[in-house]
Amino acid sequence: MACSCDAMNFKIYFRAFSYATIAVATLALLLAGGLSVPLAGLVWLAMIVAWKLEDTKWQLSERAVLVVVILAVPLFLIDWKYQQSVGEAAGRLGVSALAHLIIFLSVVKLMQDKKDRDWVFLYLISFFEVLLAAGLSFSPVFLGTLTLYLLCSVSTIIAFEIQKSRRVTTAAETRLLVPPDSRIFKNARRRLGRRNADAQRLPLIALSLLFLIFVLALPLFLVVPRSGAAVLSRSGSTLTNFIGFSESVTLGEIGELKRDNSVVMHVRLEDAQVRPGLRWRGVALDEFTGRAWRKSDEARRATDKKSEQGFFKLGTTEALHRLTTQTIFLEAIESPILFAASRPVAIQGDFPFVRVDAEGSMQSRRHDFDRVIYKALSDLTEPDEDLLQSDERPYSTTFARYTQLPETLDPRINALANAIVVNAHARSRYDEAKAIEAYLREQYGYTLQMRAGGPDPLADFLFNVRAGHCEYFSTAMAVMLRTRGIAARVVNGFLAGEYNDAAAAYTVRQSDAHSWVEVYFPETQAWVTFDPTPAAGRTEPVSTGLTARLGKYAEALELIWFQYVVGYDKQEQRSLATSLQNHLFEYRRTLTRIAAVVRSSLSAYGAKIILAGFFLASGVLFYFAAVRVRRFGWRRLFSSSPGRAHQNETMVEFYQRLIALLAQRGIQRDADLTPLEFACSLDAPEALTITHAYNRVRFGQQRLAPEELKDIERALRELERKDSAGS
């Protein structure tokens, strides 16, 4: 009864993990977008029904399953045509129909009365589901489902092999060894119970094997980067309507972009510090038409920067220690613009080219369907305020375009600029810029609503509406500065974004799109940033609560996945190797310091401590050797298992002596007889006693008491005496 219960428990365990493997594969396909939620729910409901039908007469036969599959083939052809008619994306054409076919085969096979080959077929189907999911998604969510699938599948394969081997040895073969009422049979049942407990630990064994697989695969993963790994296909997930970063931007377009909360990029600083006032510069525009900003012909002139193994030098800096290194994870967008902090001097990434126009804007290939990773080095230092205030050097003729104004400009704008400067008692370009910046921040309101309009939207904003978003403020400041003869241009980019401390990176969304002003100071040959937008348009909202915290952890996981799995290339390989080398160097230096301290502490008493340790270790070894000799004797002093050796030696001695005595009488045991059956067939009580003891030692793993050994020796001598008397 115990054996049948153990077998039943293991059978349930085997089925449970088999079903779990199939269920997790379906989950992976669902999360990858290959299945709809209702269809996945129907599949799991069918799995529950199939579980209830196990070992009942309601299970389908193999022939019935074959008929059902053949009859369903036309339905899948119709499904394929339907996917074409609804306009499935070109990269996913037929994927849904294939997923439906695989799921259908899995469900029908589960309803069948399954043999080993049917289980193997189900395992293969689940593998194809996971493979299909891998082609649809590279997110960290897929990594989680893949890990769970591997855990379930390893447990299932182990259980499958154990179940096959259990069918090889039957219970009848076990009973041939000893009678059911013997102590040995009871011990065997206890051992079967322990084996069943071992089977319950199979998930832990599978988890250990899975961990071993990852540990062995990790060095190969780190050493061999993937070709072209810096991009990730994201079919159909491009950030569309990405306006405000072209060569011509109509006044108000940035405001439309700010209504969308989609993620544009993540930015991680090398020193992982939160820095106030960060902005990610995109495109600079120098010509104002009255209703739009655009690049002039001079601004469009671009130069291609030469690449040195993916490193593009853009400019120079006076001190390398002032550079800020950013790692930028840019989503797929409808723009070739590359973003970085102000004054980038170098960029490193897997780009075929990097082009820089006359306004310092960077461009590369379009990546409408790819996410890209690159590093940017920027010099964020600003010239000293005293130098800017004392700058009175005149502009050269090349900067005339930065003071250009439309012919139809409202004259009230010039008058307003003059009034602001006079009231602020400004005496330099810098003072005038700060005065206009402060006036716009304090006297106007911030809103994303498009209130200003008409033939002159800037004048409508300044004198009627008196509220707008960043584009109106930057345009107003740049135009008023130009009326004062100060070179200024408008820059479109992004605010720093929300800092995610879990990922040690900034999350930049479309709602962080921003517009500001750059003013040129010829004395320091620098473009200096000014931002006239009120605080309401420059303050980053802070997400709080449990949901926001979990969202940050999810973003951190996705960022790690993208950087070290999807985007892992030679650049990341070198970066990781350098980081590991630095850590090893720090550990080695720490250990060296500790060793030096220990050596200095032991310099005076080192010899005495070593001698005392030697005598202590010798005393402990002598004590354990004495105890071992007392228990097992001198011969077994160095034996690894004296008790086990004593058992085997005793067993061989007394049973072999019995076999030898019987052989002298011409009695041989037939091959189909167990030792106990052979002893029962003899008319010798001594032989039966010795065989019982042999079974206890051989199969029961028991140790014989000294009195039992004396009884066995007495029985052997009695047999020898009878043998001598008979001869």
Side-chain angles (χ1 to χ4, degrees):
M1 181 64 68
C3 293
S4 61
C5 290
D6 293 336
M8 182 60 67
N9 291 337
F10 188 83
K11 191 174 184 180
I12 293 174
Y13 169 88
F14 163 71
R15 286 179 180 172
F17 268 94
S18 297
Y19 274 74
T21 301
I22 299 167
V24 172
T26 306
L27 177 64
L29 198 54
L30 169 66
L31 296 177
L35 284 180
S36 63
V37 175
L39 184 57
L42 289 176
V43 172
W44 290 325
L45 180 62
M47 292 180 65
I48 296 175
V49 174
W51 176 276
K52 295 293 184 181
L53 295 180
E54 290 288 348
D55 295 330
T56 66
K57 65 179 181 179
W58 302 106
Q59 285 187 294
L60 299 176
S61 65
E62 188 172 357
R63 180 175 297 178
V65 169
L66 180 61
V67 171
V68 170
V69 171
I70 293 175
L71 292 177
V73 168
L75 297 178
F76 291 104
L77 293 177
I78 296 173
D79 187 22
W80 182 285
K81 294 296 183 181
Y82 171 75
Q83 300 298 336
Q84 288 180 321
S85 65
V86 298
E88 192 176 33
R92 297 167 58 98
L93 184 60
V95 170
S96 298
L98 180 60
H100 297 164
L101 175 61
I102 293 175
I103 289 297
F104 175 78
L105 292 176
S106 177
V107 170
V108 173
K109 208 67 176 176
L110 281 171
M111 298 292 181
Q112 180 185 334
D113 183 14
K114 295 173 284 298
K115 299 179 177 59
D116 286 348
R117 63 175 179 270
D118 301 312
W119 285 116
V120 172
F121 182 78
L122 284 168
Y123 303 152
L124 289 176
I125 287 180
S126 69
F127 173 75
F128 285 127
E129 290 180 40
V130 174
L131 195 63
L132 182 59
L136 297 175
S137 172
F138 285 96
S139 70
V141 176
F142 172 73
L143 176 63
T145 54
L146 177 62
T147 303
L148 186 59
Y149 174 79
L150 289 176
L151 175 61
C152 293
S153 60
V154 170
S155 298
T156 302
I157 292 171
I158 295 174
F160 180 77
E161 291 299 326
I162 291 177
Q163 177 154 295
K164 286 181 61 179
S165 64
R166 285 167 69 97
R167 291 198 296 266
V168 176
T169 303
T170 63
E173 292 174 330
T174 305
R175 288 196 296 271
L176 289 176
L177 298 175
V178 291
D181 58 345
S182 69
R183 293 177 58 189
I184 299 176
F185 187 76
K186 296 177 182 177
N187 292 334
R189 285 191 296 182
R190 286 197 296 269
R191 289 196 301 276
L192 285 174
R194 289 195 297 270
R195 289 175 184 172
N196 185 59
D198 292 339
Q200 295 175 0
R201 289 194 292 269
L202 280 180
L204 181 60
I205 297 172
L207 185 62
S208 302
L209 289 174
L210 185 62
F211 176 75
L212 184 62
I213 290 171
F214 278 111
V215 168
L216 293 177
L218 185 61
L220 182 64
F221 173 83
L222 296 177
V223 170
V224 184
R226 269 73 61 215
S227 175
V231 296
L232 168 63
S233 177
R234 294 170 55 88
S235 303
S237 60
T238 306
L239 297 180
T240 56
N241 299 322
F242 195 74
I243 52 180
F245 296 94
S246 61
E247 294 185 349
S248 180
V249 180
T250 302
L251 198 60
E253 285 187 354
I254 292 291
E256 295 180 19
L257 190 66
K258 291 177 71 68
R259 300 177 191 275
D260 194 335
N261 208 35
S262 300
V263 175
V264 175
M265 57 184 165
H266 296 86
V267 183
R268 178 178 290 153
L269 301 184
E270 191 173 71
D271 52 9
Q273 293 181 355
V274 180
R275 297 191 178 185
L278 273 177
R279 294 174 181 83
W280 315 116
R281 192 178 190 272
V283 58
L285 306 169
D286 64 330
E287 184 177 333
F288 183 59
T289 64
R291 298 181 60 87
W293 284 94
R294 67 185 184 187
K295 288 184 181 181
S296 64
D297 293 337
E298 292 85 354
R300 288 193 179 96
R301 295 174 182 172
T303 56
D304 288 342
K305 300 299 180 179
K306 294 183 179 180
S307 169
E308 297 179 3
Q309 297 181 348
F311 186 86
F312 299 86
K313 184 178 178 182
L314 310 179
T316 59
T317 182
E318 295 180 0
L320 293 176
H321 68 276
R322 301 192 310 189
L323 294 180
T324 299
T325 303
Q326 316 122 61
T327 302
I328 300 171
F329 308 84
L330 186 60
E331 297 289 332
I333 57 177
E334 292 181 335
S335 175
I337 296 295
L338 299 177
F339 299 90
S342 296
R343 286 184 297 281
V345 298
I347 190 170
Q348 184 179 15
D350 186 16
F351 298 114
F353 64 90
V354 171
R355 185 171 295 132
V356 181
D357 64 17
E359 306 302 325
S361 302
M362 301 181 297
Q363 297 185 20
S364 186
R365 64 173 180 83
R366 292 179 63 90
H367 50 100
D368 298 33
F369 301 101
D370 301 320
R371 291 194 292 189
V372 296
I373 302 177
Y374 60 94
K375 288 188 176 182
L377 287 79
S378 301
D379 185 358
L380 299 180
T381 57
E382 295 277 3
D384 187 73
E385 185 175 332
D386 293 336
L387 289 177
L388 297 177
Q389 286 181 332
S390 61
D391 188 353
E392 296 181 356
R393 178 181 295 185
Y395 291 114
S396 63
T397 55
T398 57
F399 285 87
R401 71 177 189 271
Y402 298 112
T403 58
Q404 166 269 338
L405 291 169
E407 296 179 357
T408 58
L409 184 68
D410 193 314
R412 292 177 296 173
I413 298 177
N414 186 15
L416 177 61
N418 291 334
I420 294 172
V421 169
V422 170
N423 292 336
H425 305 289
R427 298 181 179 180
S428 65
R429 295 189 185 101
Y430 182 78
D431 291 339
E432 292 185 24
K434 295 297 288 185
I436 295 173
E437 179 188 53
Y439 180 83
L440 291 172
R441 284 184 179 181
E442 297 168 2
Q443 302 299 322
Y444 290 80
Y446 182 81
T447 179
L448 285 178
Q449 296 181 7
M450 292 283 291
R451 296 177 180 176
D456 193 342
L458 178 58
D460 192 32
F461 162 72
L462 286 173
F463 304 110
N464 299 324
V465 178
R466 299 184 65 85
H469 54 75
C470 56
E471 265 186 292
Y472 290 98
F473 288 94
S474 61
T475 300
M477 180 175 179
V479 170
M480 283 194 284
L481 287 174
R482 290 187 175 191
T483 63
R484 302 288 302 169
I486 299 174
R489 64 189 180 191
V490 166
V491 179
N492 292 339
F494 291 90
L495 295 171
E498 183 180 5
Y499 186 74
N500 185 343
D501 52 356
Y506 292 92
T507 300
V508 185
R509 305 179 184 277
Q510 293 196 69
S511 56
D512 295 313
H514 195 57
S515 182
W516 61 91
V517 177
E518 289 181 347
V519 179
Y520 187 74
F521 292 86
E523 185 70 33
T524 56
Q525 298 181 359
W527 286 95
V528 179
T529 298
F530 292 86
D531 195 342
T533 303
R538 294 180 286 110
T539 304
E540 188 66 37
V542 179
S543 302
T544 58
L546 179 60
T547 304
R549 192 65 188 171
L550 293 177
K552 287 185 177 182
Y553 283 119
E555 279 188 359
L557 178 60
E558 184 172 2
L559 198 59
I560 292 172
W561 171 262
F562 182 36
Q563 181 175 6
Y564 294 112
V565 178
V566 177
Y568 184 77
D569 54 9
K570 291 183 179 180
Q571 175 181 326
E572 288 295 333
Q573 186 184 33
R574 287 192 295 266
S575 176
L576 184 60
T578 303
S579 177
L580 290 176
Q581 185 178 6
N582 293 336
H583 281 86
L584 289 175
F585 177 76
E586 290 295 331
Y587 293 147
R588 185 171 59 184
R589 188 166 61 178
T590 302
L591 291 176
T592 303
R593 287 199 299 264
I594 294 174
V597 172
V598 172
R599 281 198 301 269
S600 62
S601 301
L602 296 178
S603 59
Y605 305 100
K608 294 180 181 180
I609 293 175
I610 293 173
L611 187 61
F614 172 76
F615 282 116
L616 179 61
S618 300
V620 172
L621 290 175
F622 179 78
Y623 171 76
F624 282 107
V627 171
R628 195 174 181 87
V629 168
R630 186 176 180 180
R631 289 188 61 186
F632 306 115
W634 288 99
R635 294 182 178 180
R636 299 184 179 91
L637 174 61
F638 301 104
S639 174
S640 61
S641 180
R644 181 65 56 83
H646 182 65
Q647 287 181 31
N648 294 337
E649 182 180 329
T650 304
M651 175 191 70
V652 172
E653 286 180 356
F654 71 76
Y655 193 70
Q656 290 299 329
R657 285 174 62 186
L658 173 64
I659 296 298
L661 287 172
L662 295 175
Q664 290 177 4
R665 297 183 183 183
I667 302 174
Q668 299 287 343
R669 179 167 68 93
D670 295 336
D672 59 343
L673 294 179
T674 66
L676 191 59
E677 291 173 338
F678 175 61
C680 291
S681 66
L682 302 174
D683 187 16
E686 298 85 356
L688 189 59
T689 300
I690 294 172
T691 303
H692 273 300
Y694 166 74
N695 281 339
R696 288 172 54 198
V697 174
R698 176 66 178 83
F699 302 107
Q701 300 295 319
Q702 297 182 11
R703 296 187 62 183
L704 298 178
E707 292 77 10
E708 291 178 303
L709 290 174
K710 291 180 181 179
D711 292 340
I712 292 173
E713 185 65 27
R714 191 179 301 111
L716 287 170
R717 289 179 180 176
E718 182 64 23
L719 286 174
E720 289 175 350
R721 186 187 63 76
K722 290 180 180 181
D723 197 28
S724 300
S727 59

